[in-house]
Amino acid sequence: MSINEKSFELGSKRSVIRELFEYGKVRKTEIGADNVFDFSLGNPSVEPPEKVKETLNKLLATENQTLLHGYTSAQGDLATRQAVANSLNKLCDFKIPADLIYMTCGAAASLTVSLKAIVNNGDECIVFAPFFTEYKVFIENAGAKIVVSEPDESNFQIDFEDLKNKITEKTKAVIINSPNNPSGVVYTTETIVKLSEILGAKSKETGHTIYLISDEPYRELVYNGEKIPFVMNYYDDSIVCYSYSKSLSLPGERIGYIAVSPKAKEKRLYNAVCGAGRSLGFVCAPSLFQKLIAECAELMVDVSTYKENRDLLYENLQSFGYKCVKPDGAFYLLVNCFGDDANTFCEKAKKHELLVVPCDDFGIKGYVRIAYCVSRKTILNSLSAFKNLAKEYTK
Ligand code: PLP
């Protein structure tokens, strides 16, 4: 075989989301951008904080341009890691040292590196439906098998009985993502406590550590004014995968980090993270943006815009007869397809120029995802289309 067939397969077919996005681009040229309601992509629609621009301008004007753009230590500049550690230390009851922070090219890299650090061939990783579609790619690439735990559809918290049944001798990690893509659901403290108890008990029972990987690109995008429970406070063997893609609206710049819990039993874990980054060819995270993070780690985009979008869409869709999961965070709304198959529903939606994503690849059937990180105008103009689509099902 002259190429890797799995890689060929991955590179040859676009994801459903990308497919829709490309369709939308063509459709916009045909009927005008304002007439297509594109809710396909999770690209932030809120400007980065003003200080991000100021800091970038300041950095770009510094004398020492070779240092600015040069290689940094593989795990990241100390000043950057210290700034990240300081920001995390406000979330936990103990100190996370800069030496347990590893700077990455965004959450995708954080996840692939973390998985590579812990997984051996034949291990299993549990994810909770609905889950970010790329988890399957990342887990399988690390040499593990993806195991899906089914949701409790009454609230989209964890179905603990199902989880217990899915944990085996081979389980190496579970991945959680709260606030969630695609449901917007935020795990309660009760959920995190119970999850930690189960993972702790099962680790003892099976005689090996089950890691908790918390994928947190939407950590601060919450609408009830409360902080999400920080996993390291509840479970010792945890790894936090973070990204500034959404919190600072910088998805194209590729900057994030991995934080290893100082309480993890395996004291070699951080070295394994560094080694995994090395073997995957991540020389270092982008230097300019590391230096930006050293000054902007605790900033946050204005979440109120997303919250207003959420309220507008959620309230109107409910009034049109849609059954929606109320999102407490992120910028996605999960909508039930009136009992229809998600792909059929999406095709019907397209006839109304509504581009919404079928959730089959997220591990649940009969739902679509609406990414409401769009302009207010797009939402307002789309409402009559949503109303007409609902009428096809409710008349
Ligand atoms: N994890 C989840 C749940 C996401 O939604 C995304 C991106 O949308 C990622 C990871 C990847 O984030 P990044 O762009 O920072 O790599």
Side-chain angles (χ1 to χ4, degrees), residues 267-278:
K267 295 303 165 205
R268 301 173 305 160
L269 178 57
Y270 182 75
N271 293 83
V273 165
C274 296
R278 181 178 171 194

Side-chain angles (χ1 to χ4, degrees), residues 190-382:
E190 204 187 352
T191 292
I192 299 297
V193 168
K194 186 113 193 256
L195 173 65
S196 305
E197 280 167 9
I198 291 172
L199 296 184
K202 288 281 184 184
S203 293
K204 275 210 184 96
E205 202 179 299
T206 59
H208 71 260
T209 302
I210 302 174
Y211 290 99
L212 174 57
I213 299 180
S214 183
D215 178 26
E216 305 183 359
Y218 305 95
R219 184 196 293 146
E220 299 85 0
L221 264 74
V222 281
Y223 305 129
N224 59 5
E226 282 177 31
K227 287 198 163 73
I228 66 160
F230 188 62
V231 290
M232 288 188 194
N233 289 329
Y234 302 93
Y235 192 67
D236 290 349
D237 295 302
S238 50
I239 303 174
V240 168
C241 292
Y242 186 81
S243 150
Y244 293 94
S245 296
K246 319 286 160 139
S247 60
L248 293 182
S249 287
L250 295 173
E253 306 302 351
R254 316 307 302 140
I255 187 79
Y257 62 80
I258 296 168
V260 169
S261 172
K263 296 186 184 175
K265 285 189 278 306
E266 173 56 86
K267 295 303 165 205
R268 301 173 305 160
L269 178 57
Y270 182 75
N271 293 83
V273 165
C274 296
R278 181 178 171 194
S279 68
L280 290 166
F282 289 113
V283 176
C284 63
S287 172
L288 175 63
F289 281 85
Q290 282 193 51
K291 289 171 178 70
L292 172 92
I293 295 307
E295 298 189 39
C296 298
E298 296 187 38
L299 297 183
M300 178 59 205
V301 295
D302 180 8
V303 185
S304 65
T305 311
Y306 293 133
K307 184 173 190 283
E308 283 157 26
N309 281 0
R310 182 216 44 186
D311 291 343
L312 187 63
L313 205 54
Y314 177 77
E315 275 152 29
N316 276 287
L317 263 56
Q318 290 272 108
S319 78
F320 301 153
Y322 291 93
K323 240 176 87 191
C324 312
V325 179
K326 186 161 189 186
D328 283 324
F331 36 54
Y332 307 103
L333 180 66
L334 194 65
V335 180
N336 188 285
C337 304
F338 293 105
D340 209 347
D341 152 66
N343 286 305
T344 312
F345 179 90
C346 288
E347 287 308 313
K348 286 186 184 164
K350 266 188 190 168
K351 302 247 156 58
H352 296 267
E353 310 303 344
L354 291 166
L355 308 187
V356 296
V357 175
C359 284
D360 297 34
D361 287 352
F362 290 86
I364 42 163
K365 299 220 178 290
Y367 289 87
V368 291
R369 184 191 82 170
I370 299 178
Y372 56 82
C373 41
V374 296
S375 71
R376 189 68 40 82
K377 193 170 123 202
T378 300
I379 297 184
L380 286 169
N381 290 347
S382 72

